[in-house]
Amino acid sequence: MPLAVVTSAHDFRRACQEARVDGELALVPTMGYLHAGHQSLIKNAAQRAPAVAVTIFVNPSQFAPGEDLARYPRDLPGDLHKCELTGATFVFAPTNDAELYPPGFQTYVEPGPLAQPMEGEKRPGHFRGVCTVVAKLFALSRADAAFFGEKDYQQLRVIQQMALDLNFGTEVIGRPIVRESDGLALSSRNAYLTREERMRAIALWKALDAARKAFRGGEVEPARLEELARETLQQDGLRVDYAEVRSAFDLQRPQCADANSRLFLAAFLGKTRLIDNGALGE
Ligand code: PAF
């Protein structure tokens, strides 16, 4: 069956309603410019449910003024092709922002403490925008399950908590980061990198690897693991935004790192800001 594409919130709600008559519906929310990480989420969703809805919407409310909203990479024809190849049933790709933010829109979802450190601190209002749009997609779709990548691990935890707190009844499932062969985590924003920056971008993976090796060697002091990661990033000329060891569940800073503690990284390569993270025990 050819991939169906709906562009209005009304048609999206109806397509989801119809899909749910025959069984479970799984949702994969994205901002488009799909890569193999998104495609693996779509494949996981197709294993979970007979119907898979992918959403493609560059959500303006999660970008702060001065961030990359206007230049965020877009390729709808390419994205639709990838959705079709990977097993999506239908795609919701609003043609204008008013489908989700109509005139007079004024109600936002305010996340709690999970949204405060790291991305929350560096990008004020970001998770409020993420939670608001994801809440709207959950409300429209009433999906049984929704899939998110662990590259945005803090986002995953914030959305899991939101789904619980607001009784959406949508199971929020995180899937492992998909990486290039040299370790760089796939991200739509990798498209901003020049050839030379792309080569240096593996510093994020090197920093994660250095911290993991130190942890395996017995280092459990979060500050020392963070310092090691910072040094590794700086050696390759990246400007560190943060390097933080946090617990996987509540994202608090542990006294001593354990195997489930994660190292979270954000760093600039020129104007491009990249993030990565991983469990120290992996
Ligand atoms: O991770 C993303 O691509 C976005 O933050 C999301 C979850 C689709 C909300 O706009």
Side-chain angles (χ1 to χ4, degrees), residues 33-272:
Y33 213 69
L34 303 182
H35 51 64
H38 296 113
Q39 287 182 289
S40 112
L41 296 179
I42 300 171
K43 284 183 195 152
N44 288 151
Q47 281 159 6
R48 162 66 195 258
V52 176
V54 177
T55 67
I56 298 176
F57 178 63
V58 182
N59 172 38
S61 73
Q62 69 187 74
F63 290 79
E67 288 188 346
D68 56 345
L69 172 61
R71 68 181 191 118
Y72 195 84
R74 289 164 169 86
D75 174 18
L76 187 58
D79 288 347
L80 296 180
H81 185 59
K82 286 175 187 152
C83 287
E84 186 153 27
L85 288 180
T86 340
T89 316
F90 59 95
V91 170
F92 174 39
T95 37
N96 70 67
D97 295 353
E99 282 302 326
L100 288 166
Y101 297 101
F105 180 87
Q106 54 181 268
T107 306
Y108 289 85
V109 177
E110 199 62 65
L114 283 170
Q116 278 161 13
M118 302 186 290
E119 292 303 286
E121 189 186 326
K122 299 292 178 180
R123 302 182 65 191
H126 171 65
F127 285 125
R128 178 182 194 250
V130 168
C131 285
T132 301
V133 80
V134 173
K136 289 169 73 69
L137 297 173
F138 284 3
L140 287 165
S141 66
R142 296 178 54 206
D144 299 282
F147 288 77
F148 297 86
E150 286 186 349
K151 190 182 73 67
D152 298 293
Y153 187 90
Q154 186 178 11
Q155 165 176 280
L156 169 68
R157 288 292 303 117
V158 167
I159 293 172
Q160 282 173 331
Q161 189 66 42
M162 177 192 75
L164 200 67
D165 290 346
L166 301 185
N167 304 101
F168 277 112
T170 299
E171 186 186 349
V172 178
I173 300 172
R175 299 299 304 156
I177 297 175
V178 177
R179 297 180 180 278
E180 302 275 10
S181 55
D182 65 359
L184 179 66
L186 295 191
S187 163
S188 306
R189 288 189 168 98
N190 292 350
Y192 297 147
L193 301 172
T194 64
R195 268 171 85 87
E196 186 269 336
E197 287 169 344
R198 168 64 189 82
M199 273 153 57
R200 285 191 291 130
I202 58 164
L204 288 141
W205 172 248
K206 287 201 249 172
L208 206 49
D209 190 48
R212 282 174 169 153
K213 283 194 177 118
F215 175 76
R216 280 199 293 272
E219 182 58 80
V220 292
E221 176 66 49
R224 295 172 76 111
L225 294 164
E226 290 162 356
E227 193 44 41
L228 189 59
R230 242 181 254 280
E231 280 168 14
T232 312
L233 292 167
Q234 284 162 350
Q235 268 158 22
D236 279 333
L238 278 72
R239 183 160 61 80
V240 182
D241 207 16
Y242 61 75
E244 299 196 18
V245 173
R246 298 263 169 177
S247 91
F249 183 70
D250 60 13
L251 304 185
Q252 294 294 307
R253 194 180 161 79
Q255 286 233 307
C256 287
D258 63 31
N260 291 320
S261 305
R262 297 183 86 89
L263 174 66
F264 292 87
L265 303 171
F268 286 93
L269 255 165
K271 285 191 188 131
T272 305

